Amino acid sequence: MTSTPPLRLDNVTKSFGGLTAVSDVTLSVHEGERSVILGPNGAGKTTLFHCITGTLPITSGTIQIFGKNVNRMTPNARTRLGVGRTFQITNLFAELTLLQNVVLAVHGRARGARRLFTSWQSERHVVDQAHAELDRVGLCGKADLDVSELSYGERRQLELALALVGGPRLLLLDEPCAGLSQSERQAFTGLIRAIPSNVTTIIVEHDMDVAFAIADRLIVMNQGALICDGPPEEVRNTTEVQEVYLGDA
Ligand SMILES: Nc1ncnc2c1ncn2[C@@H]1O[C@H](COP(=O)(O)OP(=O)(O)O)[C@@H](O)[C@H]1O
Ligand SMILES: [Mg+2]
């Protein structure tokens, strides 16, 4: 028996007026797979993520998440199916502490009446969970600092912690290492590799060293279309990829 793919796209297109940002993309990812999407600026990578999370409606095609057609589902409904993400632009409450940011995210994930009848017990549970999430990304010692006191690299670590709150089963990371120094990149690569192996992860990443350290699979986009998809070593050596990257540099 083959298991239901966490994500399946069939002929997905997203146009903005006359501009086709995502063009007829068909792809299926397997459970636990670590895919890295490469491609020059403007290739449509972020738009593709917005289509998957439901931030943007698609123009045509079908998106299935864990076997469910999500074309008409809101972003929140997709989150409940298990989709987690980080944003290319950071999205944190700078005036709150790290712990408060994570507690808010945990509360945001708790559903329905539970939120209205929060006892001390469940409050304690939320705080413990928030500490565990911070620990996972190496920020436990900074739980009580304001986010505004963090370095840029630490903010990105915190964002990863937030994305992991609620145990996503399909995680989308959009350029998690953008703007990081070489040593921060290495550290962050370690955090990505430490994401539980049952979490299917798709990462947009420009840095080839990071991409090769993480990827089971490389997917290359250019001008909205998938131009290459396969095992990293195979993809690296294709002429299309060499051309796109030589052209971009
Ligand atoms: N909201 C939008 N409205 C109009 N055009 C957009 C919008 N978002 C992205 N685009 C365009 O779509 C193309 C793909 O952008 P994007 O998905 O951000 O690429 P990438 O993340 O690969 O750099 C670009 O030409 C961009 O200008
Ligand atoms: Mg982008």
Side-chain angles (χ1 to χ4, degrees), residues 232-239 241-242:
E233 285 311 320
E234 217 169 88
V235 168
R236 191 216 287 262
N237 295 320
T238 61
T239 42
V241 172
Q242 310 257 339

Side-chain angles (χ1 to χ4, degrees), residues 213-234:
I214 298 167
D216 304 326
R217 174 178 178 182
L218 280 184
I219 297 167
V220 185
M221 287 183 76
N222 194 27
Q223 299 182 354
L226 295 198
I227 59 164
C228 210
D229 179 0
E233 285 311 320
E234 217 169 88

Side-chain angles (χ1 to χ4, degrees), residues 30-34 136 169 192-201 216:
H30 306 290
E31 191 171 338
E33 200 167 51
R34 302 278 148 106
R136 200 210 301 251
R169 295 190 295 154
I192 293 173
R193 292 171 66 113
I195 291 170
S197 61
N198 61 338
V199 181
T200 307
T201 309
D216 304 326

Side-chain angles (χ1 to χ4, degrees), residues 35-41 44-49 86 88 171-178 192 201-207 210-211 214 219 221 245:
S35 309
V36 170
I37 302 184
L38 293 169
N41 274 332
K45 306 176 300 292
T46 296
T47 303
L48 184 68
F49 272 15
T86 61
Q88 190 173 2
L171 181 63
L172 308 177
L173 305 177
D174 195 355
E175 300 196 29
C177 293
I192 293 173
T201 309
I202 309 176
I203 303 157
V204 171
E205 181 52 60
H206 279 294
D207 184 309
V210 177
I214 298 167
I219 297 167
M221 287 183 76
Y245 277 90

